[in-house]
Every structure is written in structure tokens, then in C-alpha cells.
Amino acid sequence: MIKDVLVTLPAGDTPSFAVDYAATVARTFNAHLTGIALVQDVASAGALFDWAPGIVLDDYRREVEAAAEAAKARFDETCQREGLSAESMSLNAGAVSLPELLARTARRFDLTILPQADPEDERSEEVMIEAALLGSGRPILLVPYFLEGGFKFDRILVCWDGSHNAARAIADAMPFLTRAKQVEVVTVVTDGRANDSTAGLCIARHLARHDVIVEVRNIVTRAQDVSLRIRSHAAQHSAD
């Protein structure tokens, strides 16, 4: 059951594609949505830049607090317009502890939704994603930075290699899988194992017992091309 969803709020004029996506997820599952604006503590900023005069730190504090309030206001407006059960809040921490603060906060939610880091302007997003993914112990959903439109799961692609990570991902994603119109289990085998036609069948049977409509597909590729081959397959088959 997904009934309590967390999403980070972008500061400034950053597009809110993850917030829009999170709103559709909350609506789909009739879940409560919490938006958090992460604020760097001004005292920590002073420690990092101890040469800065007080007036500069005061200006910085007002700037980040105003950005957080603006992000919360946009979020509240979106949720009110969509008729969602929602709330917004600011979380204040030192610069080095913001990722840990996000991870600790995410532990209290069924699902945390984060924007994918823009490969051309990663800044601190990758650090935040890694902290939430490895430190929260809870499911994390990354929204592609190029995504247009809301949450959709007509066709879900599941990547299976028999690992702990794959098993955990499938278990965490079960609320999505059971609602999908079609689930495709994809296994990638290298040239040396091209005759292994049974990979993925066991996990497919497990999903079928949860009333998931599932099919299995084995893809043969070179070992170094696995990640690229998966992304290409997802695009070719219009996976949501």
C-alpha cells in the first residue's frame, strides 16, 4: 500500500516536473503527499565562508528562506488545484548534513519521489539521490528530467538478474506492478550464455501469483552493453 508520499520541492525557478509527477502518483493511490523544501543552514554557510560579513549572511538567509517559501507556495497551489491531501514544510540543516536529513526524513514515508539529476548540471542532486537511495531503507522513485506528463504505468519494464537489488526493487514496486496493464520481465544475457532461455521465468511466476499480467523476454548482448541495451529496449517498447 502506498498511502504516504514524499517529494522534494525545487527552489527558485527550477521546473517542478517531479512535483507534478508526484501529484499524479498521490492521486492514483489516494495517498497523502508531503512536499519538503530543503534549506541550507545559514550558520553552516558562515562556517564554510567565514570571510563573509554579517550583512552577506543575512542576505543569504533571506534569499534561501524566500526560495523555500516560494517553493512551498507553488506546491500548495498545485495540490489545492488537484484536490489532494497534502502539506508542505521546510527542513533546515547544515550543508554537509542535508543528504542525511533527506534520508532520515524519507524513512517515515512509503515512497519518496526525487527528480533525476540533469547530466548537464548535476550540482548536488546526485549526492541527495544516493543518500536517499542508500540511507532511507525505503523505496525511491526517480523522475527523468526530460519527462513530460504525469504518472502512467500501462506498461512496466522489470529488469531481472537474480540479485538482491532486483528482488528488493520488485518487492517495493509491487503496488505499481499489480495495477499495470502489462509487465515485461527483461533479462540480459551475454554471448556466452545465449542459450539460457529460463532466466526470468521464476520471478515471472512469482509476479503471476500476484495477478500481474507478465511476459518474459531474454536479450542477448555483449557484457559491456547491458545498461545501454536495457535503455534502448525500454525506448523501443514504449515502457512507462
Side-chain angles (χ1 to χ4, degrees), residues 116-140:
Q116 178 194 16
D118 188 335
E120 295 184 359
D121 187 19
E122 292 184 359
R123 295 177 294 181
S124 62
E125 284 93 341
E126 289 285 1
V127 176
M128 301 296 286
I129 291 171
E130 183 174 319
L133 183 64
L134 302 180
S136 70
R138 305 295 288 166
I140 305 298

Side-chain angles (χ1 to χ4, degrees), residues 154-239:
D154 291 341
R155 183 175 183 85
I156 295 181
L157 189 150
V158 171
C159 302
W160 178 252
D161 62 359
S163 66
H164 166 275
N165 290 339
R168 175 63 185 275
I170 287 177
D172 286 342
M174 197 63 76
F176 299 93
L177 300 176
T178 56
R179 291 173 178 244
K181 293 180 180 179
Q182 180 67 53
V183 173
E184 182 182 19
V185 174
V186 172
T187 61
V188 179
V189 295
T190 57
D191 294 333
R193 297 174 56 237
N195 60 348
D196 183 3
S197 61
T198 63
L201 291 179
C202 291
I203 195 65
R205 284 196 293 267
H206 169 68
L207 292 175
R209 293 184 182 114
H210 286 272
D211 298 323
V212 174
I213 302 173
V214 60
E215 61 179 281
V216 179
R217 186 184 302 271
N218 293 332
I219 299 174
V220 179
T221 189
R222 295 191 301 273
Q224 64 268 29
D225 293 338
V226 172
S227 178
L228 178 62
R229 189 67 182 87
I230 289 173
R231 294 197 298 272
S232 175
H233 180 83
Q236 291 172 3
H237 291 78
S238 301

Side-chain angles (χ1 to χ4, degrees), residues 17-166:
F17 61 92
V19 173
D20 296 337
Y21 191 89
T24 62
V25 172
R27 187 189 311 112
T28 297
F29 291 99
N30 193 27
H32 183 80
L33 181 61
T34 300
I36 57 168
L38 298 170
V39 178
Q40 179 178 313
D41 184 74
V42 68
S44 175
L48 292 173
F49 305 104
D50 53 8
W51 50 266
I55 189 172
V56 171
L57 295 181
D58 287 342
D59 289 343
Y60 169 81
R61 182 182 65 251
R62 284 192 292 269
E63 181 180 337
V64 296
E65 289 177 351
E69 289 302 314
K72 290 166 56 181
R74 289 196 303 270
F75 173 81
D76 294 339
E77 180 182 356
T78 297
C79 294
Q80 184 176 12
R81 183 176 63 249
E82 299 293 335
L84 299 175
S85 171
E87 63 181 308
S88 62
M89 63 179 69
S90 297
L91 294 182
N92 192 296
V96 295
S97 64
L98 271 178
E100 182 179 354
L101 180 60
L102 174 60
R104 291 182 178 182
T105 304
R107 293 169 190 169
R108 308 196 300 268
F109 292 84
D110 297 323
L111 176 70
T112 294
I113 298 177
L114 301 173
Q116 178 194 16
D118 188 335
E120 295 184 359
D121 187 19
E122 292 184 359
R123 295 177 294 181
S124 62
E125 284 93 341
E126 289 285 1
V127 176
M128 301 296 286
I129 291 171
E130 183 174 319
L133 183 64
L134 302 180
S136 70
R138 305 295 288 166
I140 305 298
L141 180 59
L142 295 182
V143 184
Y145 66 92
F146 56 81
L147 183 71
E148 294 183 0
F151 173 62
K152 190 174 109 171
F153 53 104
D154 291 341
R155 183 175 183 85
I156 295 181
L157 189 150
V158 171
C159 302
W160 178 252
D161 62 359
S163 66
H164 166 275
N165 290 339

